Coordinates of all heavy atoms in Angstrom, one line a residue:
E121 N 33.4 13.9 23.8 CA 33.4 15.3 23.8 C 34.8 15.9 23.8 O 35.0 17.0 23.2 CB 32.6 15.9 24.9 CG 31.1 15.6 24.8 CD 30.3 16.6 25.7 OE1 30.9 17.3 26.6 OE2 29.0 16.5 25.6
T122 N 35.7 15.3 24.4 CA 37.1 15.9 24.5 C 38.2 15.1 23.9 O 39.3 15.6 23.7 CB 37.4 16.1 26.0 OG1 37.6 14.8 26.7 CG2 36.2 16.8 26.7
G123 N 38.0 13.8 23.7 CA 39.0 12.9 23.2 C 39.8 12.3 24.3 O 40.6 11.4 24.1
Y124 N 39.7 12.8 25.5 CA 40.5 12.2 26.6 C 39.9 10.9 27.2 O 38.7 10.8 27.2 CB 40.6 13.3 27.8 CG 41.5 14.4 27.5 CD1 41.0 15.7 27.4 CD2 42.9 14.2 27.4 CE1 41.8 16.8 27.1 CE2 43.7 15.3 27.2 CZ 43.2 16.6 27.1 OH 44.0 17.6 26.8
V125 N 40.8 10.1 27.7 CA 40.4 8.9 28.4 C 40.7 9.1 29.9 O 41.9 9.4 30.3 CB 41.2 7.7 27.9 CG1 40.9 6.4 28.7 CG2 41.0 7.4 26.4
G126 N 39.7 9.1 30.7 CA 39.8 9.4 32.1 C 39.4 8.2 33.0 O 38.8 7.3 32.5
T127 N 39.8 8.3 34.2 CA 39.4 7.3 35.2 C 38.5 8.0 36.3 O 38.6 9.2 36.6 CB 40.6 6.7 36.0 OG1 41.4 7.8 36.6 CG2 41.5 6.0 35.0
V128 N 37.5 7.3 36.8 CA 36.5 7.8 37.7 C 37.0 7.7 39.1 O 37.5 6.6 39.6 CB 35.2 7.0 37.6 CG1 34.2 7.5 38.6 CG2 34.6 7.3 36.2
S129 N 37.0 8.8 39.9 CA 37.4 8.8 41.3 C 36.1 8.6 42.2 O 36.2 7.8 43.1 CB 38.0 10.1 41.6 OG 39.1 10.4 40.8
S130 N 35.0 9.3 41.9 CA 33.8 9.1 42.7 C 32.6 9.6 41.9 O 32.8 10.3 40.9 CB 33.9 9.9 44.0 OG 34.1 11.2 43.8
V131 N 31.4 9.2 42.3 CA 30.2 9.6 41.7 C 29.2 10.2 42.8 O 29.1 9.5 43.9 CB 29.5 8.4 41.0 CG1 28.2 8.8 40.4 CG2 30.4 7.8 40.0
S132 N 28.6 11.3 42.5 CA 27.7 11.9 43.5 C 26.4 11.2 43.5 O 26.0 10.4 42.6 CB 27.5 13.4 43.1 OG 26.5 13.5 42.1
P133 N 25.6 11.4 44.5 CA 24.2 10.9 44.5 C 23.5 11.7 43.4 O 24.0 12.6 42.8 CB 23.6 11.3 45.9 CG 24.8 11.6 46.7 CD 25.9 12.1 45.8
V134 N 22.2 11.3 43.1 CA 21.4 12.0 42.1 C 21.2 13.4 42.7 O 20.7 13.6 43.8 CB 20.1 11.3 41.8 CG1 19.2 12.1 40.9 CG2 20.4 9.9 41.2
T135 N 21.4 14.5 41.9 CA 21.2 15.8 42.3 C 20.2 16.5 41.3 O 20.1 16.1 40.2 CB 22.5 16.6 42.3 OG1 23.1 16.7 41.0 CG2 23.6 16.0 43.2
A136 N 19.6 17.5 41.8 CA 18.6 18.3 41.1 C 19.3 19.4 40.2 O 20.3 20.0 40.7 CB 17.6 18.9 42.0
M137 N 18.9 19.6 39.0 CA 19.5 20.6 38.2 C 18.8 21.9 38.2 O 19.4 23.0 38.3 CB 19.6 20.1 36.7 CG 20.5 18.9 36.5 SD 20.6 18.3 34.8 CE 21.3 19.7 34.0
D138 N 17.5 21.9 38.1 CA 16.7 23.2 38.0 C 15.3 22.8 38.5 O 14.3 22.8 37.8 CB 16.6 23.7 36.6 CG 16.1 25.2 36.6 OD1 15.7 25.6 37.7 OD2 16.1 25.8 35.5
P139 N 15.1 22.5 39.9 CA 13.9 21.9 40.4 C 12.7 22.8 40.3 O 11.5 22.3 40.4 CB 14.2 21.6 41.8 CG 15.4 22.5 42.2 CD 16.2 22.7 40.9
G140 N 12.8 24.1 40.1 CA 11.7 24.9 39.9 C 11.1 24.9 38.5 O 9.9 25.3 38.3
L141 N 11.9 24.4 37.5 CA 11.4 24.3 36.1 C 11.3 22.9 35.6 O 10.4 22.7 34.8 CB 12.5 25.1 35.3 CG 12.3 25.1 33.8 CD1 11.0 25.8 33.4 CD2 13.4 25.7 33.0
S142 N 12.1 22.0 36.0 CA 12.1 20.7 35.4 C 12.4 19.6 36.4 O 12.8 19.8 37.6 CB 13.2 20.6 34.3 OG 14.5 20.5 34.8
A143 N 12.3 18.3 35.9 CA 12.6 17.2 36.8 C 14.0 16.6 36.4 O 14.3 15.5 36.8 CB 11.5 16.1 36.5
S144 N 14.8 17.4 35.7 CA 16.1 17.0 35.3 C 17.0 16.8 36.5 O 17.1 17.6 37.4 CB 16.7 18.1 34.4 OG 16.0 18.2 33.2
T145 N 17.7 15.6 36.4 CA 18.6 15.3 37.5 C 20.0 14.9 36.9 O 20.2 14.7 35.7 CB 18.1 14.0 38.3 OG1 17.9 13.0 37.3 CG2 16.8 14.4 39.0
L146 N 21.0 14.9 37.8 CA 22.4 14.8 37.4 C 23.2 14.1 38.4 O 23.1 14.3 39.6 CB 22.9 16.3 37.2 CG 24.4 16.4 36.7 CD1 24.4 16.2 35.1 CD2 24.9 17.8 37.0
N147 N 24.1 13.2 37.9 CA 25.1 12.6 38.7 C 26.4 13.4 38.3 O 26.8 13.4 37.1 CB 25.4 11.1 38.4 CG 24.3 10.2 38.9 OD1 23.6 9.6 38.1 ND2 24.2 10.1 40.2

Side-chain angles (χ1 to χ4, degrees):
E121 292 198 351
T122 71
Y124 284 113
V125 177
T127 58
V128 173
S129 302
S130 63
V131 180
S132 78
V134 175
T135 63
M137 293 179 66
D138 192 355
L141 176 65
S142 77
S144 296
T145 55
L146 184 78
N147 287 115

